[in-house]
Amino acid sequence: MKRFAALDALRGLAAVSVLFGHIHDVFFSRHTLLDLTPLYLFWAGGPAVVLFFVLSGLVLVRRTQVGPPQAWSTFWLGRFFRIGVPYLFVTGCCVVLAQWCAAQGWVSGRAYRWPAVIDWSVVAGHVGMVGDFNTNVFDDALWSLVHELRFALVFPLFWWAFTRWRSWIFGLAFGAASLLSAAWVTAFGDPSQGYKTAFVYTTHYLLLFGMGALLLRHLDAASAQLMRWRPGQRRFLLAASLLIYVYARMVYLVPQKWGFADVAVFNAFVADAMVGVAACVLMLAALNLPTWQRVLCMRPLQYLGQVSFSLYLVHIPVLKTVLALLPEAPLWVPVLCALPLIALFTHVFHHGVERPAQQTGRDLSRRWEAWRVRRQATAVVAPGWALDEDESALAASERIGQSKATDDRGS
């Protein structure tokens, strides 16, 4: 299956902006004047996660369209090894690191710190993966993976709606679900145990996954329209999209500043939708504009795209540990020490955990699908027929293996 190389790089840049956003939070507990400038693009962690959701919607729908038919159980098995296994591995590492730092008395009082006492009910919540639990205890970045895993569970219903509804009905339905989620949180408060981990937020984020799916459906027409426009028109569209990507948060920060709390809560959902639309335009540009493609297909950016999921998972544990080891040093010292360690452990985690988990998932999915096809064949074939079950299973295995050999990443 052909990969969208430019989108891989875009994901990598988004992961870097999440890293820089968390480093920004180490130094500043409140918004600064720099946050009001376009430079915010470089540490815009919230919009980056929105981009991840839109990308996931596009990639999963494309894989389901292009790949051979498979059971939903096979799909879920692949997603578990793609997201769940690295997620559980880094959670286990976080528990060990938190206990070790606490035993040594290395408890930082800074923005990102390990808990002094392990709450095993929270650990159980992490192991469950899809429940509502406090994701801020160990790895603050895990909250978005909770929604990715929930989306995988409901993807069959999502796919059913996508394949049967017209685009405007599909978009209207998920837009209405998002607005209802916003109204619920505004009226009754945020019930999340962690950062936006309540199920009502998953309902809201379905709109963002849906945007990615709709972008894929209309990709050819949208690409043709974009390339028909004059260069000045394209530049204006891209500038407007970048401004929305950076400044959409103002629709809730301004009411929040002036004391309109309910308006701010509701508008935060609206801001996500605005960023989602801007992300679609940026993805469209990445796939079509020659200059963007030349830049995004450079090897360093392609490498960032390949390791983006590992970078997203490991940067917080490394940052917390270095801050705990250097509690009295000026903030810039542990941050500078953490950056090369984050790069090192990202590479190690990608090659030692993420890629082996993916390969294991592909192998098990292929075997599971072959067994399932063989079992169905023996159930439906009449007793008088001759069926070479091994040959049938082998053919099914080869079909699945071809589709999984070039895995489209969905994180």
Side-chain angles (χ1 to χ4, degrees):
M1 185 185 302
K2 182 181 177 182
R3 295 177 66 90
F4 290 142
L7 296 187
D8 283 343
L10 206 60
R11 182 190 291 112
L13 291 172
V16 171
S17 71
V18 172
L19 166 64
F20 288 160
H22 287 141
I23 290 176
H24 172 276
D25 293 342
V26 171
F27 289 99
F28 308 105
S29 59
R30 303 172 66 90
H31 292 288
T32 66
L33 289 177
L34 278 178
D35 295 333
L36 301 178
T37 70
L39 292 175
Y40 176 75
L41 175 67
F42 295 102
W43 58 87
V49 173
V50 171
L51 177 63
F52 292 152
F53 289 155
V54 176
L55 272 169
S56 290
L58 183 149
V59 168
L60 287 184
V61 168
R62 181 170 181 263
R63 180 187 299 175
T64 308
Q65 283 182 333
V66 176
Q70 63 178 9
W72 290 118
S73 57
T74 308
F75 168 81
W76 288 323
L77 182 63
R79 293 306 286 170
F80 172 74
F81 278 89
R82 176 68 186 90
I83 298 177
V85 170
Y87 162 104
L88 290 173
F89 188 92
V90 81
T91 297
C93 291
C94 286
V95 173
V96 172
L97 284 171
Q99 286 188 308
W100 178 63
C101 289
Q104 302 299 322
W106 297 334
V107 180
S108 170
R110 289 164 172 172
Y112 293 105
R113 55 185 179 271
W114 295 116
V117 179
I118 302 295
D119 184 344
W120 292 102
S121 65
V122 174
V123 176
H126 280 75
V127 174
M129 294 189 291
V130 295
D132 184 5
F133 58 93
N134 189 356
T135 52
N136 298 326
V137 173
F138 298 117
D139 190 340
D140 302 58
L142 292 181
W143 71 272
S144 68
L145 302 186
V146 173
H147 296 291
E148 292 274 6
L149 290 165
R150 290 175 185 170
F151 176 59
L153 289 177
V154 301
F155 186 75
L157 293 176
F158 181 92
W159 176 253
W160 180 89
F162 178 75
T163 54
R164 285 164 175 77
W165 295 351
R166 295 182 179 179
S167 295
W168 70 270
I169 298 176
F170 184 82
L172 185 63
F174 286 107
S178 174
L179 290 176
L180 288 174
S181 301
W184 177 274
V185 174
T186 302
F188 301 106
D190 185 354
S192 300
Q193 298 296 315
Y195 180 75
K196 296 184 177 181
T197 52
F199 290 94
V200 67
Y201 281 100
T202 305
T203 305
H204 161 61
Y205 292 135
L206 287 175
L207 173 64
L208 305 177
F209 293 115
M211 286 182 180
L214 290 177
L215 175 61
L216 180 67
R217 173 181 285 178
H218 300 285
L219 185 58
D220 291 340
S223 298
Q225 180 62 50
L226 179 68
M227 301 311 293
R228 279 196 297 267
W229 284 1
R230 294 192 298 271
Q233 292 175 309
R234 291 199 291 265
R235 284 193 291 269
F236 176 81
L237 176 65
L238 294 177
S241 298
L242 284 171
L243 287 174
I244 293 173
Y245 186 88
V246 170
Y247 288 109
R249 61 205 164 95
M250 291 302 168
V251 302
Y252 66 86
L253 288 179
V254 172
Q256 186 180 70
K257 176 70 175 178
W258 290 97
F260 298 102
D262 289 344
V263 176
V265 170
F266 187 90
N267 283 2
F269 289 78
V270 177
D272 284 344
M274 294 170 63
V275 173
V277 173
C280 287
V281 176
L282 297 177
M283 290 163 59
L284 188 64
L287 290 171
N288 290 280
L289 299 185
T291 302
W292 282 51
Q293 287 194 325
R294 281 196 299 272
V295 173
L296 292 173
C297 289
M298 294 171 61
R299 291 185 65 181
L301 294 184
Q302 284 297 298
Y303 172 76
L304 271 181
Q306 292 170 12
V307 303
S308 59
F309 185 49
S310 294
L311 173 61
Y312 187 77
L313 283 174
V314 308
H315 74 276
I316 286 288
V318 173
L319 191 58
K320 284 185 174 182
T321 302
V322 175
L323 286 170
L325 291 173
L326 301 171
E328 303 299 331
L331 281 175
W332 61 269
V333 174
V335 168
L336 284 182
C337 292
L339 286 175
L341 290 174
I342 289 171
L344 172 63
F345 282 103
T346 292
H347 185 81
V348 170
F349 191 90
H350 175 69
H351 290 281
V353 178
E354 182 187 353
R355 288 183 61 181
Q358 290 180 18
Q359 186 58 51
T360 302
R362 286 193 290 267
D363 293 342
L364 291 178
S365 295
R366 183 169 60 250
R367 293 177 183 179
W368 170 259
E369 189 69 10
W371 176 83
R372 191 187 64 84
V373 170
R374 184 168 63 247
R375 184 181 178 208
Q376 288 184 344
T378 57
V380 299
V381 171
W385 290 10
L387 176 66
D388 189 342
E389 295 181 1
D390 292 334
E391 181 180 349
S392 175
L394 179 61
S397 299
E398 290 175 350
R399 290 198 303 272
I400 301 302
Q402 290 171 0
S403 78
K404 299 293 184 181
T406 54
D407 183 52
D408 278 81
R409 301 162 42 146
S411 92

